[in-house]
Amino acid sequence: MSETRKGKNSGKAKANGKLGNKEYLEALRRLHAELVKMQEWVVHSGAKICVVFEGRDGAGKGGTIKAITERVSPRIFRVVALPAPTEREKSQMYIQRYLPHMPAAGEVVIFDRSWYNRAGVERVMGFCTEGQAQEFLMAVPLVERAVIHSGIVLIKYWLEVSPEEQTRRLENRIDDERKIWKLSQMDLESYRRWHDYSRARDEMFAKTDTDFAPWFVVRSDDKKRARLNAISHLLSKVPYESVPRAKVKLPERLKAGGYREPDYPYQFVPERY
Protein backbone atom coordinates (compact mmCIF):
# COMPACT_ATOMS: atom_id res chain seq x y z
CA MET A 1 0.00 0.00 0.00
CA SER A 2 1.39 3.44 -0.89
CA GLU A 3 2.23 6.04 1.74
CA THR A 4 -0.46 8.32 0.26
CA ARG A 5 -3.07 5.61 0.63
CA LYS A 6 -1.97 4.90 4.20
CA GLY A 7 -2.26 8.54 5.13
CA LYS A 8 -5.72 8.83 3.58
CA ASN A 9 -7.10 5.98 5.67
CA SER A 10 -5.17 6.62 8.89
CA GLY A 11 -7.98 8.61 10.49
CA LYS A 12 -10.81 6.17 9.78
CA ALA A 13 -12.06 3.15 11.69
CA LYS A 14 -10.02 0.09 10.73
CA ALA A 15 -11.49 -2.96 9.05
CA ASN A 16 -11.23 -4.96 12.28
CA GLY A 17 -13.33 -2.41 14.14
CA LYS A 18 -10.47 -0.48 15.76
CA LEU A 19 -11.00 3.26 15.95
CA GLY A 20 -8.82 5.39 13.70
CA ASN A 21 -6.59 8.00 15.34
CA LYS A 22 -8.21 11.04 13.68
CA GLU A 23 -11.71 9.97 14.65
CA TYR A 24 -10.53 9.18 18.17
CA LEU A 25 -8.81 12.54 18.68
CA GLU A 26 -11.81 14.48 17.37
CA ALA A 27 -14.15 12.66 19.76
CA LEU A 28 -11.69 13.06 22.63
CA ARG A 29 -11.42 16.81 22.00
CA ARG A 30 -15.20 17.17 22.31
CA LEU A 31 -15.27 15.12 25.50
CA HIS A 32 -12.38 17.12 26.97
CA ALA A 33 -14.39 20.30 26.42
CA GLU A 34 -17.27 18.74 28.36
CA LEU A 35 -14.89 17.68 31.16
CA VAL A 36 -13.78 21.31 31.46
CA LYS A 37 -17.45 22.34 31.77
CA MET A 38 -17.91 19.66 34.41
CA GLN A 39 -14.83 20.94 36.26
CA GLU A 40 -16.19 24.48 36.31
CA TRP A 41 -19.53 23.20 37.64
CA VAL A 42 -17.84 21.09 40.33
CA VAL A 43 -15.96 24.14 41.61
CA HIS A 44 -19.00 26.41 41.32
CA SER A 45 -21.41 24.00 43.01
CA GLY A 46 -19.04 22.50 45.58
CA ALA A 47 -19.79 19.00 44.31
CA LYS A 48 -17.73 16.03 45.54
CA ILE A 49 -17.02 13.36 42.94
CA CYS A 50 -15.20 10.06 43.62
CA VAL A 51 -14.37 7.75 40.70
CA VAL A 52 -12.94 4.26 41.21
CA PHE A 53 -11.09 2.38 38.46
CA GLU A 54 -10.44 -1.34 38.87
CA GLY A 55 -9.49 -4.15 36.51
CA ARG A 56 -6.78 -6.67 35.76
CA ASP A 57 -3.21 -5.72 34.92
CA GLY A 58 -3.13 -4.47 31.35
CA ALA A 59 -6.82 -3.58 31.26
CA GLY A 60 -6.05 0.07 30.47
CA LYS A 61 -6.81 1.84 33.75
CA GLY A 62 -3.81 4.18 33.57
CA GLY A 63 -4.43 5.23 29.98
CA THR A 64 -8.11 5.87 30.65
CA ILE A 65 -7.33 7.99 33.69
CA LYS A 66 -4.74 9.99 31.71
CA ALA A 67 -7.32 10.57 28.97
CA ILE A 68 -9.72 11.95 31.58
CA THR A 69 -7.21 14.22 33.31
CA GLU A 70 -4.94 15.53 30.55
CA ARG A 71 -6.96 18.72 29.90
CA VAL A 72 -8.27 19.55 33.37
CA SER A 73 -6.66 21.01 36.48
CA PRO A 74 -4.72 18.56 38.69
CA ARG A 75 -5.75 20.68 41.67
CA ILE A 76 -9.39 19.79 41.02
CA PHE A 77 -9.04 16.35 39.41
CA ARG A 78 -6.78 14.47 41.84
CA VAL A 79 -5.51 10.99 40.99
CA VAL A 80 -4.86 8.69 43.96
CA ALA A 81 -2.68 5.62 43.41
CA LEU A 82 -1.57 4.43 46.83
CA PRO A 83 1.59 2.32 47.27
CA ALA A 84 1.70 -0.87 49.33
CA PRO A 85 0.62 -0.17 52.93
CA THR A 86 3.22 0.58 55.57
CA GLU A 87 3.48 -1.51 58.73
CA ARG A 88 1.52 1.16 60.58
CA GLU A 89 -1.21 1.18 57.92
CA LYS A 90 -1.45 -2.60 58.06
CA SER A 91 -2.44 -2.27 61.71
CA GLN A 92 -5.23 0.23 60.96
CA MET A 93 -8.83 -0.44 60.09
CA TYR A 94 -8.55 -1.54 56.46
CA ILE A 95 -10.47 1.31 54.81
CA GLN A 96 -8.80 3.93 57.02
CA ARG A 97 -5.93 4.86 54.71
CA TYR A 98 -8.31 5.57 51.83
CA LEU A 99 -10.66 7.90 53.69
CA PRO A 100 -8.28 10.92 53.90
CA HIS A 101 -8.17 10.98 50.10
CA MET A 102 -11.93 11.34 49.66
CA PRO A 103 -12.96 14.54 47.85
CA ALA A 104 -13.81 17.76 49.60
CA ALA A 105 -16.16 20.31 48.06
CA GLY A 106 -15.10 21.29 44.55
CA GLU A 107 -12.95 18.20 43.92
CA VAL A 108 -12.94 15.14 41.70
CA VAL A 109 -10.87 12.26 43.08
CA ILE A 110 -9.97 9.35 40.83
CA PHE A 111 -8.69 6.16 42.46
CA ASP A 112 -6.30 4.16 40.28
CA ARG A 113 -7.07 0.99 42.21
CA SER A 114 -8.81 1.47 45.51
CA TRP A 115 -10.06 -0.23 48.65
CA TYR A 116 -11.11 -3.05 46.31
CA ASN A 117 -7.50 -4.26 46.41
CA ARG A 118 -8.70 -6.40 49.31
CA ALA A 119 -11.27 -8.14 47.12
CA GLY A 120 -8.75 -8.68 44.32
CA VAL A 121 -4.98 -8.71 44.56
CA GLU A 122 -4.76 -9.06 48.35
CA ARG A 123 -7.17 -11.97 48.40
CA VAL A 124 -5.73 -13.80 45.38
CA MET A 125 -2.08 -13.28 46.33
CA GLY A 126 -2.59 -14.17 49.99
CA PHE A 127 -1.88 -10.72 51.47
CA CYS A 128 -5.01 -11.04 53.59
CA THR A 129 -6.84 -14.00 55.06
CA GLU A 130 -10.01 -15.37 53.56
CA GLY A 131 -11.81 -14.19 56.69
CA GLN A 132 -10.55 -10.64 56.16
CA ALA A 133 -11.66 -10.72 52.53
CA GLN A 134 -15.15 -11.89 53.49
CA GLU A 135 -15.39 -9.28 56.22
CA PHE A 136 -14.45 -6.62 53.66
CA LEU A 137 -17.05 -7.80 51.16
CA MET A 138 -19.70 -7.68 53.87
CA ALA A 139 -18.69 -4.25 55.19
CA VAL A 140 -17.86 -2.28 52.04
CA PRO A 141 -21.49 -1.66 50.94
CA LEU A 142 -22.14 -0.11 54.36
CA VAL A 143 -19.08 2.13 54.00
CA GLU A 144 -20.05 3.16 50.47
CA ARG A 145 -23.58 3.97 51.61
CA ALA A 146 -22.09 6.25 54.27
CA VAL A 147 -19.81 7.87 51.66
CA ILE A 148 -22.79 8.59 49.42
CA HIS A 149 -24.90 9.87 52.33
CA SER A 150 -22.09 12.36 53.05
CA GLY A 151 -22.81 13.98 49.68
CA ILE A 152 -20.13 12.28 47.56
CA VAL A 153 -21.04 11.07 44.08
CA LEU A 154 -19.42 7.62 43.89
CA ILE A 155 -18.87 6.01 40.47
CA LYS A 156 -17.16 2.61 40.12
CA TYR A 157 -15.66 1.25 36.91
CA TRP A 158 -14.32 -2.19 36.11
CA LEU A 159 -12.26 -2.39 32.90
CA GLU A 160 -12.77 -5.81 31.34
CA VAL A 161 -9.99 -7.12 29.11
CA SER A 162 -9.94 -10.50 27.36
CA PRO A 163 -7.17 -13.03 28.16
CA GLU A 164 -5.87 -12.77 24.59
CA GLU A 165 -5.62 -8.97 24.69
CA GLN A 166 -4.03 -9.01 28.15
CA THR A 167 -1.38 -11.42 26.85
CA ARG A 168 -0.68 -9.15 23.87
CA ARG A 169 -0.33 -6.06 26.06
CA LEU A 170 1.90 -7.68 28.65
CA GLU A 171 4.13 -9.16 25.95
CA ASN A 172 4.35 -5.67 24.45
CA ARG A 173 5.62 -4.38 27.80
CA ILE A 174 8.42 -6.93 27.74
CA ASP A 175 9.58 -5.73 24.32
CA ASP A 176 9.20 -1.97 24.91
CA GLU A 177 11.89 -0.16 26.92
CA ARG A 178 9.34 2.55 27.75
CA LYS A 179 6.94 0.09 29.38
CA ILE A 180 9.12 -2.57 31.00
CA TRP A 181 8.80 -0.81 34.36
CA LYS A 182 5.08 -1.64 34.28
CA LEU A 183 5.77 -5.38 34.45
CA SER A 184 6.58 -6.50 38.00
CA GLN A 185 6.88 -9.98 39.44
CA MET A 186 3.44 -9.40 40.94
CA ASP A 187 2.05 -8.75 37.46
CA LEU A 188 3.53 -12.00 36.18
CA GLU A 189 2.01 -13.98 39.05
CA SER A 190 -1.38 -12.31 38.62
CA TYR A 191 -1.23 -13.18 34.90
CA ARG A 192 -0.69 -16.82 35.84
CA ARG A 193 -3.70 -16.72 38.16
CA TRP A 194 -6.25 -15.46 35.63
CA HIS A 195 -9.01 -17.80 36.81
CA ASP A 196 -8.37 -17.06 40.50
CA TYR A 197 -8.86 -13.38 39.71
CA SER A 198 -12.01 -14.23 37.75
CA ARG A 199 -13.49 -15.99 40.77
CA ALA A 200 -12.53 -13.07 43.03
CA ARG A 201 -14.06 -10.58 40.58
CA ASP A 202 -17.29 -12.58 40.36
CA GLU A 203 -17.77 -12.64 44.13
CA MET A 204 -16.83 -8.96 44.42
CA PHE A 205 -19.56 -8.09 41.92
CA ALA A 206 -22.10 -10.33 43.62
CA LYS A 207 -21.59 -8.63 46.98
CA THR A 208 -20.73 -5.01 46.13
CA ASP A 209 -22.72 -4.28 42.94
CA THR A 210 -25.46 -2.43 44.80
CA ASP A 211 -28.30 -0.26 43.57
CA PHE A 212 -26.77 2.78 45.29
CA ALA A 213 -23.14 2.09 44.23
CA PRO A 214 -23.25 -0.12 41.12
CA TRP A 215 -20.30 -1.36 39.08
CA PHE A 216 -20.07 -0.16 35.49
CA VAL A 217 -18.12 -2.46 33.17
CA VAL A 218 -16.05 -0.98 30.34
CA ARG A 219 -15.01 -3.34 27.56
CA SER A 220 -11.36 -2.40 27.08
CA ASP A 221 -9.90 -4.60 24.34
CA ASP A 222 -10.02 -1.48 22.13
CA LYS A 223 -8.26 1.13 24.26
CA LYS A 224 -9.46 4.14 22.30
CA ARG A 225 -13.11 3.12 22.39
CA ALA A 226 -12.80 2.24 26.07
CA ARG A 227 -11.46 5.70 26.92
CA LEU A 228 -14.16 7.49 24.97
CA ASN A 229 -16.92 5.29 26.39
CA ALA A 230 -15.67 5.73 29.97
CA ILE A 231 -15.45 9.52 29.68
CA SER A 232 -18.85 9.77 28.00
CA HIS A 233 -20.42 7.63 30.72
CA LEU A 234 -18.71 9.58 33.51
CA LEU A 235 -20.12 12.81 32.10
CA SER A 236 -23.58 11.25 32.01
CA LYS A 237 -23.40 10.30 35.71
CA VAL A 238 -22.49 13.79 36.95
CA PRO A 239 -25.38 16.30 36.82
CA TYR A 240 -23.19 19.19 35.70
CA GLU A 241 -24.41 22.32 33.95
CA SER A 242 -22.60 25.02 32.02
CA VAL A 243 -21.39 27.79 34.33
CA PRO A 244 -21.44 31.33 32.89
CA ARG A 245 -17.95 32.44 31.87
CA ALA A 246 -16.67 35.99 31.63
CA LYS A 247 -15.34 36.69 28.14
CA VAL A 248 -11.56 36.52 28.25
CA LYS A 249 -9.54 39.24 26.54
CA LEU A 250 -5.79 39.68 26.84
CA PRO A 251 -4.87 43.09 28.31
CA GLU A 252 -2.27 45.31 26.69
CA ARG A 253 1.23 44.86 28.02
CA LEU A 254 2.67 47.73 30.01
CA LYS A 255 5.35 49.81 28.32
CA ALA A 256 8.96 48.75 28.90
CA GLY A 257 9.67 51.75 31.08
CA GLY A 258 13.31 51.74 30.12
CA TYR A 259 13.83 47.98 30.49
CA ARG A 260 16.30 46.41 28.05
CA GLU A 261 17.07 42.74 27.56
CA PRO A 262 20.40 41.97 29.28
CA ASP A 263 23.44 40.75 27.40
CA TYR A 264 23.69 37.71 29.69
CA PRO A 265 25.57 34.49 28.77
CA TYR A 266 22.60 32.13 29.17
CA GLN A 267 23.43 28.44 29.02
CA PHE A 268 20.86 27.27 26.52
CA VAL A 269 19.84 23.63 26.22
CA PRO A 270 21.33 22.13 23.05
CA GLU A 271 18.68 22.10 20.31
CA ARG A 272 19.02 18.53 19.10
CA TYR A 273 15.49 18.28 17.78
Side-chain angles (χ1 to χ4, degrees):
M1 183 182 291
S2 69
E3 291 302 315
T4 302
R5 184 66 174 168
K6 283 183 181 179
K8 186 176 180 180
N9 289 337
S10 62
K12 297 181 179 179
K14 306 295 176 63
N16 62 2
K18 296 288 185 180
L19 197 63
N21 198 52
K22 182 179 179 181
E23 186 180 355
Y24 166 69
L25 291 176
E26 287 176 352
L28 186 61
R29 179 183 59 79
R30 292 192 295 270
L31 291 172
H32 280 159
E34 290 301 315
L35 283 170
V36 170
K37 290 181 184 178
M38 177 182 133
Q39 173 179 263
E40 292 172 339
W41 175 82
V42 166
V43 173
H44 177 76
S45 67
K48 299 178 286 186
I49 314 295
C50 179
V51 187
V52 169
F53 277 95
E54 293 288 345
R56 303 175 195 269
D57 294 316
K61 296 181 296 298
T64 302
I65 292 170
K66 285 180 182 178
I68 292 171
T69 59
E70 66 178 318
R71 295 293 182 177
V72 291
S73 170
R75 292 183 295 276
I76 298 167
F77 278 71
R78 292 193 293 110
V79 178
V80 177
L82 297 184
T86 64
E87 289 303 314
R88 180 177 182 276
E89 288 171 333
K90 289 178 183 178
S91 71
Q92 294 175 341
M93 180 177 66
Y94 175 72
I95 199 90
Q96 186 173 340
R97 75 183 189 121
Y98 294 96
L99 294 179
H101 300 281
M102 287 294 179
E107 292 182 343
V108 179
V109 172
I110 300 175
F111 280 93
D112 184 353
R113 294 196 184 277
S114 65
W115 47 93
Y116 282 100
N117 275 341
R118 174 134 294 183
V121 63
E122 290 192 12
R123 184 182 189 185
V124 173
M125 301 301 294
F127 296 141
C128 70
T129 66
E130 181 60 21
Q132 288 173 323
Q134 291 298 331
E135 183 179 355
F136 168 81
L137 291 170
M138 178 182 66
V140 73
L142 302 176
V143 174
E144 290 179 352
R145 187 184 289 276
V147 166
I148 293 166
H149 282 180
S150 76
I152 293 174
V153 176
L154 176 62
I155 307 168
K156 304 186 302 191
Y157 290 110
W158 174 271
L159 271 61
E160 183 66 21
V161 66
S162 67
E164 297 80 13
E165 181 62 16
Q166 187 195 45
T167 297
R168 190 192 69 78
R169 291 178 185 177
L170 296 186
E171 286 179 343
N172 179 259
R173 292 181 184 181
I174 295 173
D175 299 328
D176 192 331
E177 292 290 339
R178 301 167 300 171
K179 299 178 181 178
I180 190 63
W181 63 272
K182 294 183 175 182
L183 202 57
S184 67
Q185 191 61 41
M186 185 73 67
D187 297 328
L188 297 176
E189 183 62 19
S190 68
Y191 174 82
R192 192 171 71 89
R193 300 190 182 199
W194 172 275
H195 296 294
D196 291 338
Y197 272 91
S198 294
R199 281 186 282 269
R201 175 205 59 196
D202 294 348
E203 187 172 2
M204 180 187 79
F205 270 50
K207 294 185 176 177
T208 66
D209 186 20
T210 59
D211 57 349
F212 54 87
W215 280 103
F216 297 105
V217 179
V218 181
R219 297 183 189 276
S220 65
D221 276 10
D222 185 326
K223 288 183 178 181
K224 292 175 182 175
R225 291 187 190 278
R227 293 167 189 172
L228 297 178
N229 289 332
I231 296 172
S232 177
H233 185 268
L234 172 61
L235 290 166
S236 76
K237 301 305 291 183
V238 177
Y240 72 98
E241 300 173 348
S242 294
V243 176
R245 299 172 181 165
K247 188 171 179 59
V248 177
K249 182 180 179 180
L250 290 176
E252 292 185 9
R253 285 200 175 106
L254 298 176
K255 296 185 181 300
Y259 174 78
R260 301 178 66 180
E261 291 287 343
D263 184 17
Y264 186 82
Y266 295 108
Q267 297 188 59
F268 287 102
V269 171
E271 296 181 354
R272 297 176 179 172
Y273 301 96

